[in-house]
Amino acid sequence: MASSRHHRLPLLLSAALVLALSVLPAAQADVQRYQFDIVMSNVSRLCHAKSMATVNGSYPGPTIYAREGDRVVVAVTNRVAHNVTIHWHGLKQRRNGWADGPAYVTQCPIQPGGTYAYDFNVTGQRGTLWWHAHIAWLRATVHGAIVVLPARGVPYPFPKPDAEVEIILGEWWHADVEAVEKQGRALGMAPNTSDAHTINGKPGPLFPCSDKHTYALQVQWGKTYLLRIINAAVNDELFFTIAGHTMTVVEIDATYTKPLSASTIQLSPGQTTNVLVRADQRPGRYFMAAKPFNDAAVPADNKTATAILQYAGVPASVLPAPPRLMPETNGTGFVAAFHDRLRSLNSARYPSAVPLAVDRRLLYAIGLNIDPCASCPKGSRLAASLNNITFVMPRVALLQAHYGGLKGVFAADFPDRPPARFNYTGAPLTAGLGTSLGTRLSRVAYNASVELVLQDTNLLSVESHPFHLHGYNFFVVGRGVGNFDPAKDPAKYNLVDPPERNTVGVPAGGWTAIRFRADNPGVWFLHCHLEVHTSWGLKMAFLVEDGDGPDESVLPPPKDLPKC
Ligand SMILES: *[C@@H]1O[C@H](CO)[C@@H](O)[C@H](O)[C@H]1NC(C)=O
Ligand SMILES: *[C@@H]1O[C@H](CO)[C@@H](O)[C@H](O)[C@H]1NC(C)=O
Ligand SMILES: *[C@@H]1O[C@H](CO)[C@@H](O)[C@H](O)[C@H]1NC(C)=O
Ligand SMILES: *[C@@H]1O[C@H](CO)[C@@H](O)[C@H](O)[C@H]1NC(C)=O
Ligand SMILES: *[C@@H]1O[C@H](CO)[C@@H](O)[C@H](O)[C@H]1NC(C)=O
Ligand SMILES: *[C@@H]1O[C@H](CO)[C@@H](O)[C@H](O)[C@H]1NC(C)=O
Ligand SMILES: *[C@@H]1O[C@H](CO)[C@@H](O)[C@H](O)[C@H]1NC(C)=O
Ligand SMILES: *[C@@H]1O[C@H](CO)[C@@H](O)[C@H](O)[C@H]1NC(C)=O
Ligand SMILES: *[C@@H]1O[C@H](CO)[C@@H](O)[C@H](O)[C@H]1NC(C)=O
Ligand SMILES: *[C@@H]1O[C@H](CO)[C@@H](O)[C@H](O)[C@H]1NC(C)=O
């Protein structure tokens, strides 16, 4: 059932054409062109219908297919009343921040009636990524998969699956998501949590009125499927499992891994995980399930979305085997063990280019805070910070200001370490929770190797935070509980085959160390991928300087780049 859609690209090429292209000189790139219309659509889930922004009326939106080496051009036309931008999450966009998408970081928004063509090359990466709106909370309904196939003639470094399918995990609110975010901001409090989780846009039968909103994946006995799993949820890290079946993880965030067998996986918003699943059980109907992972000391949202793995020939009247028992919602130990087992492939063809020497050492303390708010009912609002700075969005895009030499938009003085040292993960700190506000960037020399330790703190409450860096992949060289110890912890780093990703979880009351080489000039956003925290200011940006070489500077902006 799924195969025609999921093998669209290969089918576009006749055998003769493949033969003709394979004798051409290398790097004959194809251009993949798409038109995205942002429109309001009426979508019905559970017992409710609502009008919401989508791409071309589909939820999730259309998949982008490309091969490594292709050029992709997506013209986005805004036909709604909201400002819109689209981020191509995980695409490195070398020298080409203009196509990255975060509003007021790399571009001004596409205003109602406007069109902007995102034009980029897919270079040196292949696998599952995704696209999503990158302004306010619009990504709740405006998102979809990106499938980058290996270059023509290049096999996967694992047995070729019989078919491939995208599995997009999401979150559904009955209310207008922009209204939910606005209400939270006006009250200075946590916004309402979602009403359901979804698998390919559908919550599954465990919610009211939702039988007909159940995604089913048809499989044939004996065949192997590549599931490209994406966590597109707004505020929830998720577990994912398939009853009765074992998954083999082969890729995370579009980087190959050593095969890892798992009955349950965990992924944060922003992360992707490719798994192989063999349909080798008694033909029947099996639940796939997704539920939140949350070990913060706040009431946990534990709603479970389900879908069906449906063997061909088994009638839909057969009751599915019960969902597999998943780890507790607060399953810290499971999550730590799962991520500690992930290893990048590090083969001759796909080596791990981990920086061994470090030019710039950064320690960013993550805080949840309470700032004064004159207009809020309680006179205060929840905020969040990195190194005690709550990031304030500018009114013109940072990359435009940097490229055009526009002064006064930002200061390039983001501190390399917290202004005050304290026992980051000691007793909860509930006094002196205010932050300083600012649009402050960290300046990084071209090609510097950077080590960033993200340290969670007990300001207000410890909590797990998935951090996403734009413009780069990074290596996750270490993680631990408690305070990072610069004298002892680096000795335990994995500098051989650490996971390579674009989004990483920082454990509640712990730390994560990442390394990357700053060889992509531009302005690159770093932020928590829990949208609620991003809205509270848990974000900053790196300003990576141009190098001296001919291909080491930011490209000129495209002519149709939106204006503020
Ligand atoms: C979206 O809709 C427009 C207008 O109908 C159409 O031209 C375009 O091909 C559609 N795009 C996708 C990805 O389906
Ligand atoms: C959505 O539904 C509302 C009310 O039922 C209707 O007025 C509107 O025209 C519909 N919009 C679309 C795009 O179908
Ligand atoms: C994409 O690659 C082509 C061919 O190398 C090059 O001419 C073009 O400038 C690249 N575009 C971007 C946005 O990097
Ligand atoms: C948030 O939840 C409260 C309590 O259920 C409800 O009264 C309010 O209308 C909700 N807000 C939005 C924007 O839906
Ligand atoms: C989810 O949480 C609620 C309230 O905390 C609890 O009553 C319920 O049993 C939990 N459900 C599951 C499946 O853990
Ligand atoms: C985790 O959740 C379970 C079930 O809700 C509870 O019994 C247990 O105390 C929690 N563990 C921690 C460390 O909070
Ligand atoms: C930090 O606080 C924790 C928990 O109270 C304690 O175990 C640890 O010894 C403290 N560390 C330092 C360096 O004071
Ligand atoms: C953060 O900054 C605020 C405002 O300057 C200050 O009151 C507070 O003590 C600082 N907190 C920490 C942990 O540095
Ligand atoms: C960047 O750094 C790497 C590692 O030190 C080095 O091999 C490479 O030549 C450098 N590139 C430039 C342009 O300086
Ligand atoms: C849309 O973006 C423009 C340019 O930044 C801004 O002036 C306008 O206020 C924005 N509109 C909304 C509704 O946010």
Side-chain angles (χ1 to χ4, degrees):
M1 148 222 113
S3 60
S4 65
R5 177 164 169 238
H6 299 292
H7 282 116
R8 214 186 77 150
L9 252 194
L11 286 178
L12 287 176
L13 308 163
S14 71
L17 184 59
V18 170
L19 199 67
L21 287 174
S22 64
V23 297
L24 284 174
Q28 184 66 31
D30 287 337
V31 185
Q32 309 296 340
R33 288 183 190 276
Y34 288 87
Q35 169 69 41
F36 274 17
D37 285 351
I38 314 284
V39 293
M40 293 308 287
S41 331
N42 286 341
V43 179
S44 166
R45 291 292 183 271
L46 305 171
C47 318
H48 304 259
K50 72 167 175 177
S51 177
M52 63 191 211
T54 64
V55 168
N56 280 34
S58 56
Y59 171 71
T63 299
I64 298 279
Y65 296 91
R67 281 187 183 280
E68 180 175 350
D70 283 356
R71 174 180 169 204
V72 176
V73 183
V74 188
V76 176
T77 301
N78 182 359
R79 301 188 189 285
V80 302
H82 302 283
N83 283 339
V84 173
T85 69
I86 305 279
H87 169 50
W88 316 91
H89 183 116
L91 281 158
K92 293 181 194 166
Q93 307 285 14
R94 189 159 184 281
R95 306 172 59 203
N96 188 31
W98 310 115
D100 190 41
Y104 301 108
V105 176
T106 58
Q107 69 165 98
C108 298
I110 309 168
Q111 297 185 38
T115 294
Y116 176 47
Y118 291 88
D119 187 341
F120 51 90
N121 296 323
V122 183
T123 310
Q125 51 186 155
R126 76 303 301 165
T128 305
L129 294 169
W130 62 302
W131 57 265
H132 60 79
H134 211 307
I135 185 163
W137 283 24
L138 271 187
R139 76 174 179 83
T141 60
V142 178
H143 63 250
I146 301 175
V147 173
V148 180
L149 297 168
R152 230 174 248 114
V154 177
Y156 291 130
F158 47 79
K160 189 178 187 305
D162 295 294
E164 303 187 2
V165 61
E166 296 107 49
I167 302 285
I168 302 179
L169 312 178
E171 239 179 318
W172 172 266
W173 275 261
H174 298 321
D176 171 19
V177 184
E178 295 300 287
V180 170
E181 193 265 336
K182 275 201 195 86
Q183 184 182 47
R185 188 154 26 99
L187 297 176
M189 287 159 58
N192 290 354
T193 51
S194 57
D195 297 292
H197 290 98
T198 55
I199 298 178
N200 284 349
K202 299 179 174 181
L206 303 188
F207 293 89
C209 320
S210 64
D211 272 13
K212 64 175 186 287
H213 302 299
T214 302
Y215 170 74
L217 171 63
Q218 297 272 355
V219 297
Q220 294 198 329
W221 194 88
K223 300 228 155 143
T224 298
Y225 297 81
L226 179 69
L227 270 49
R228 299 175 174 273
I229 305 162
I230 297 165
N231 186 344
V234 177
N235 292 324
D236 280 326
E237 308 195 52
L238 295 167
F239 294 111
F240 177 81
T241 189
I242 308 174
H245 295 72
T246 300
M247 299 177 273
T248 304
V249 177
V250 291
E251 184 202 300
I252 52 172
D253 294 6
T255 70
Y256 294 129
T257 62
K258 295 192 172 71
L260 174 66
S261 169
S263 55
T264 297
I265 63 167
Q266 186 266 332
L267 62 174
S268 303
Q271 294 184 326
T272 66
T273 306
N274 279 11
V275 303
L276 293 170
V277 180
R278 197 167 137 81
D280 58 0
Q281 298 299 304
R282 197 159 59 83
R285 302 174 77 232
Y286 295 85
F287 271 124
M288 301 189 259
K291 83 159 193 189
F293 159 60
N294 185 337
D295 58 358
V298 292
D301 158 359
N302 59 10
K303 297 177 298 287
T304 302
T306 51
I308 309 280
L309 185 80
Q310 161 93 43
Y311 278 69
V314 175
S317 55
V318 171
L319 281 180
R324 187 197 295 274
L325 214 57
M326 278 193 272
E328 292 282 4
T329 298
N330 60 10
T332 311
F334 174 92
V335 171
F338 174 69
H339 288 278
D340 283 348
R341 284 162 68 212
L342 288 170
R343 295 280 183 281
S344 62
L345 186 58
N346 193 27
S347 63
R349 187 170 185 122
Y350 303 102
S352 295
V354 194
L356 298 179
V358 174
D359 301 321
R360 241 338 246 296
R361 280 182 206 281
L362 309 175
L363 175 70
Y364 290 0
I366 301 166
L368 295 178
N369 311 85
I370 298 176
D371 276 348
C373 169
S375 64
C376 299
K378 287 184 175 168
S380 67
R381 63 178 188 100
L382 288 169
S385 61
L386 280 172
N387 282 354
N388 207 31
I389 298 162
T390 294
F391 192 85
V392 175
M393 294 313 284
R395 289 174 187 279
V396 296
L398 298 168
L399 181 60
Q400 281 169 313
H402 165 57
Y403 188 85
L406 200 59
K407 301 275 179 259
V409 176
F410 62 82
D413 64 351
F414 193 89
D416 284 4
R417 44 209 74 254
R421 288 185 55 182
F422 56 99
N423 187 347
Y424 304 119
T425 55
L429 298 175
T430 49
L433 285 168
T435 63
S436 70
L437 310 183
T439 308
R440 298 168 66 179
L441 276 54
S442 177
R443 189 182 288 277
V444 177
Y446 181 79
N447 208 40
S449 64
V450 179
E451 177 177 303
L452 168 61
V453 176
L454 289 157
Q455 170 73 61
D456 188 34
T457 69
N458 219 339
L459 288 162
L460 210 55
S461 143
V462 295
E463 187 163 345
S464 162
H465 297 276
F467 267 82
H468 173 47
L469 175 60
H470 290 227
Y472 292 91
N473 279 357
F474 49 73
F475 294 93
V476 186
V477 295
R479 71 201 297 277
V481 292
N483 302 331
F484 172 71
D485 183 343
K488 294 203 186 114
D489 288 320
K492 291 177 254 165
Y493 283 173
N494 177 358
L495 299 176
V496 178
D497 57 358
E500 179 180 347
R501 0 194 30 145
N502 61 55
T503 306
V504 69
V506 179
W511 57 272
T512 294
I514 63 172
R515 284 189 184 181
F516 62 97
R517 179 166 299 287
D519 57 3
N520 188 7
V523 175
W524 303 108
F525 210 17
L526 172 80
H527 62 95
C528 178
H529 220 286
L530 304 179
E531 221 48 51
V532 55
H533 294 163
T534 319
S535 317
W536 291 349
L538 196 43
K539 52 196 170 186
M540 58 80 69
F542 289 107
L543 191 170
V544 178
E545 293 174 333
D546 287 348
D548 298 326
D551 62 351
E552 296 174 358
S553 53
V554 175
L555 291 169
K559 296 217 161 30
D560 60 341
L561 187 71
K563 294 189 173 53
C564 285

